[in-house]
Amino acid sequence: MSTVCSGHRAVLACLVIGTFAISLSNVIIGHLAYNLSSLYQPEEFNRGLSTFERITNLDGEIIYDGEYISHILDGELPFPVNNNLKRLKFRPGSLPLSSAQSLQKCYINSTRYGNQIPDKTVMLASVSDTHKLIYRNIPKSSSQLPFPVNNNLQRLKFRPGSLPLSSAQSLQKCYVNLTHYEYQVSNKTVMLASVSDTHKLIYRNIPKSSSSTARHAMKDFFDGNDRRVKHDELELAVHQLDYALISFVRDPLNRFYSSFDESFFRLGPWMGSGPIVADKPRVKKWYFENKYKVEKYPYLYEGLPTIGHFRKVYCPPDELSISPLACNDVPSIENGTLAHRFERFVRDYDGREPFDVHMNLQVSNLVWGVTGNPLPVTKLYNATEADKGWLDIAHEKGVHIPDGQLTHGRRITRRFNVSKVSDATKRKICRLMALDYCCLNFELPEVCRTADDDEAVFCALDKIPKREGDKIDIFDELVIQQW
């Protein structure tokens, strides 16, 4: 070096060359170090923020830390300039963001998911101007498994009571054909219910499902009163004001026995004249307005023109001599005369036009008559354990019900002898009540479970055009109904 770089000009040249060589070597070494660290070591970004790491998997693919991604989303860090794909990979759930915050950065490819996104300029929502609150519904029918694409019938068959759902949950998937059941579902825009504002409790009445006990409990223990409620008022109360909407349901076959027994008494010719209606003009008037409904079954009241004739068929003479009311507390002695009429009626009945409201399906009381959509029911209790149900409700609401104070209502011994009813008739009743069995997820009684295929009851999961009020949407929804 001393020999080569002798002289002033030579020394200057050597200094320039040496400086350039050192600078070049620093650049090369730095570049190699950067690339090696990018490939094999965690990358550090120190810009007044925390240290972020990226993980390299076995295939050499980089998976970025969620916190690093969030800072890029917020504009606090730039997008890596050496990323040719213009995308960074990270794991679900790793972002330090809420679901709502993450949603604001979400992009949905409308071409790929076009069949899931409505192309409308309006959105259906529940709005409370009073409380400045808007609720956007996400249907529960967004299921984890798709509807089988190779099912040409667009329906799946299953057995009643086999769903791992409560009766209230199953009801929310129920579809009631308002054309088929037009005589069972009221088309009014209001619904009669017992409402307790004190305890934020709403009870929807279903005849012959412990309704007398329920009305008594709501009035005497929960400060409830009967009220006509509009659809939007009910939706607001349940979804936004934290009210609970409840009712009681029971096995459809046993309820049908009770429903017929009650309806038979209410539409008997003794309601047109005689001691029962002597001081009840409104009851008498109702009878004459509705008796045409049983005239298609003339055999029902043959030989029973008065209440006296009727009572002699089922009431023990000793009890009848004491008081007609005593007949309500003792077992029936009817020898099959009434049961035979009942069986003949079941053979003739198609289930579409009941002759009394007590014979309506339970589900018909739990849907809106204008749309057929289910009411926003919070819970359905078993009517056969009504006392226990009300005690549970009282416990939840902090209400005390004294022992023995719940027994109430018309607990009348059934007038016709159910033991005389044939298995064939029972199976026909199960078919008539199929919608209740399916929508309320009740298991079939043994006699109906063992029926042949042509008499068996099955439910259907159907794919039908979605309804919003009285309008039909182009998209499908999954609903439960009878097969």
Side-chain angles (χ1 to χ4, degrees):
M1 174 70 73
S2 61
T3 304
V4 175
C5 296
S6 61
H8 293 291
R9 292 185 178 181
V11 170
L12 181 62
C14 286
L15 289 174
V16 170
I17 292 171
T19 301
F20 176 76
I22 292 171
S23 299
L24 180 60
S25 64
N26 286 339
V27 169
I28 294 172
I29 292 172
H31 184 69
L32 288 174
Y34 174 81
N35 285 332
L36 287 172
S37 64
S38 298
L39 289 173
Y40 303 110
Q41 299 177 3
E43 181 177 359
E44 295 185 354
F45 302 86
N46 187 9
R47 305 192 182 186
L49 302 171
S50 303
T51 298
F52 305 104
E53 293 186 350
R54 65 184 188 180
I55 303 171
T56 304
N57 62 20
L58 295 177
D59 297 327
E61 188 178 31
I62 299 173
I63 301 175
Y64 287 86
D65 181 83
E67 190 172 354
Y68 173 52
I69 296 294
S70 70
H71 283 288
I72 294 178
L73 290 171
D74 292 338
E76 296 173 343
L77 287 177
F79 194 92
V81 294
N82 62 339
N83 189 291
N84 296 327
L85 295 178
K86 293 189 176 182
R87 58 180 358 207
L88 305 181
K89 194 171 190 176
F90 62 96
R91 297 188 185 281
S94 65
L95 298 178
L97 305 175
S98 67
S99 294
Q101 290 171 323
S102 180
L103 174 66
Q104 298 309 309
K105 302 295 185 179
C106 183
Y107 167 74
I108 297 179
N109 188 319
S110 59
T111 301
R112 181 176 180 180
Y113 297 102
N115 63 339
Q116 295 190 36
I117 305 173
D119 58 352
K120 297 180 178 180
T121 57
V122 295
M123 176 189 76
L124 183 66
S126 182
V127 182
S128 170
D129 294 323
T130 304
H131 301 283
K132 294 185 177 180
L133 186 65
I134 303 174
Y135 166 73
R136 171 58 172 163
N137 179 53
I138 299 178
K140 296 177 182 178
S141 56
S142 299
S143 52
Q144 296 178 343
L145 291 176
F147 195 90
V149 294
N150 60 344
N151 189 293
N152 296 326
L153 295 177
Q154 298 290 287
R155 59 182 355 207
L156 305 178
K157 194 175 191 178
F158 63 97
R159 295 187 182 279
S162 63
L163 298 176
L165 304 175
S166 68
S167 291
Q169 291 171 323
S170 182
L171 173 69
Q172 297 309 308
K173 302 293 186 181
C174 181
Y175 171 72
V176 177
N177 187 320
L178 295 182
T179 301
H180 187 85
Y181 294 105
E182 62 176 319
Y183 296 106
Q184 296 205 36
V185 183
S186 171
N187 60 0
K188 296 179 180 178
T189 57
V190 294
M191 177 194 76
L192 184 64
S194 182
V195 182
S196 169
D197 293 319
T198 304
H199 300 286
K200 292 191 174 183
L201 187 65
I202 304 172
Y203 164 73
R204 172 57 173 161
N205 175 58
I206 298 178
K208 307 313 294 182
S209 291
S210 191
S211 56
S212 297
T213 297
R215 289 195 301 271
H216 159 65
M218 285 294 293
K219 179 181 178 181
D220 292 354
F221 305 117
F222 293 89
D223 301 324
N225 58 81
D226 289 344
R227 191 183 304 174
R228 298 192 182 277
V229 185
K230 295 181 180 180
H231 177 268
D232 56 348
E233 293 174 342
L234 187 64
E235 295 284 341
L236 175 66
V238 173
H239 292 307
Q240 299 181 27
L241 302 181
D242 201 29
Y243 277 67
L245 174 59
I246 65 168
S247 192
F248 286 74
V249 293
R250 62 188 288 201
D251 169 65
L253 175 60
N254 283 321
R255 178 179 177 268
F256 189 85
Y257 293 148
S258 299
S259 298
F260 176 84
D261 200 53
E262 177 77 10
S263 301
F264 186 92
F265 175 77
R266 282 162 53 90
L267 270 298
W270 44 85
M271 290 298 187
S273 62
I276 291 181
V277 293
D279 58 347
K280 298 180 179 65
R282 294 178 62 182
V283 173
K284 186 175 181 178
K285 179 176 181 293
W286 177 88
Y287 166 76
F288 282 110
E289 291 174 346
N290 290 276
K291 73 183 186 73
Y292 74 92
K293 296 177 182 179
V294 293
E295 290 174 351
K296 64 174 68 176
Y297 313 107
Y299 48 83
L300 286 179
Y301 300 101
E302 286 181 354
L304 304 174
T306 68
I307 188 64
H309 290 85
F310 179 44
R311 285 173 176 155
K312 287 180 180 179
V313 174
Y314 69 87
C315 186
D318 292 343
E319 301 294 335
L320 189 57
S321 64
I322 298 173
S323 169
L325 295 179
C327 300
N328 298 333
D329 302 321
V330 295
S332 172
I333 63 167
E334 82 99 359
N335 59 8
T337 301
L338 298 179
H340 174 72
R341 300 178 191 212
F342 170 76
E343 289 202 292
R344 186 173 176 184
F345 165 75
V346 172
R347 286 197 298 270
D348 295 342
Y349 183 48
D350 63 4
R352 299 184 62 174
E353 190 174 355
F355 62 78
D356 183 53
V357 66
H358 288 79
M359 295 185 64
N360 288 358
L361 292 165
Q362 295 174 92
V363 167
S364 69
N365 296 279
L366 297 171
V367 299
W368 285 107
V370 178
T371 63
N373 294 328
L375 302 180
V377 174
T378 308
K379 188 168 183 177
L380 293 172
Y381 294 86
N382 192 329
T384 59
E385 299 178 336
D387 288 3
K388 180 182 181 300
W390 280 109
L391 290 175
D392 289 344
I393 297 167
H395 178 73
E396 293 175 5
K397 299 296 182 179
V399 173
H400 174 67
I401 299 178
D403 292 342
Q405 295 299 306
L406 273 172
T407 303
H408 189 80
R410 296 165 294 176
R411 301 204 175 190
I412 299 173
T413 302
R414 192 169 290 129
R415 301 174 182 93
F416 74 95
N417 191 343
V418 176
S419 67
K420 301 289 185 180
V421 177
S422 67
D423 287 351
T425 298
K426 294 174 183 177
R427 287 192 282 268
K428 171 69 182 294
I429 296 171
C430 286
R431 294 197 298 275
L432 293 172
M433 300 293 106
L435 191 65
D436 272 355
Y437 276 111
C438 293
C439 287
L440 299 177
N441 202 29
F442 272 109
E443 286 189 20
L444 291 169
E446 181 66 25
V447 65
C448 296
R449 286 201 299 269
T450 57
D452 296 331
D453 286 345
D454 58 340
E455 292 186 328
V457 176
F458 289 98
C459 308
L461 180 65
D462 283 325
K463 201 173 186 181
I464 66 171
K466 187 175 182 180
R467 290 180 175 271
E468 296 289 359
D470 57 351
K471 298 180 180 179
I472 298 179
D473 206 333
I474 61 173
F475 300 104
D476 295 327
E477 66 176 329
L478 300 178
V479 298
I480 295 172
Q481 56 184 333
Q482 77 272 30
W483 186 261

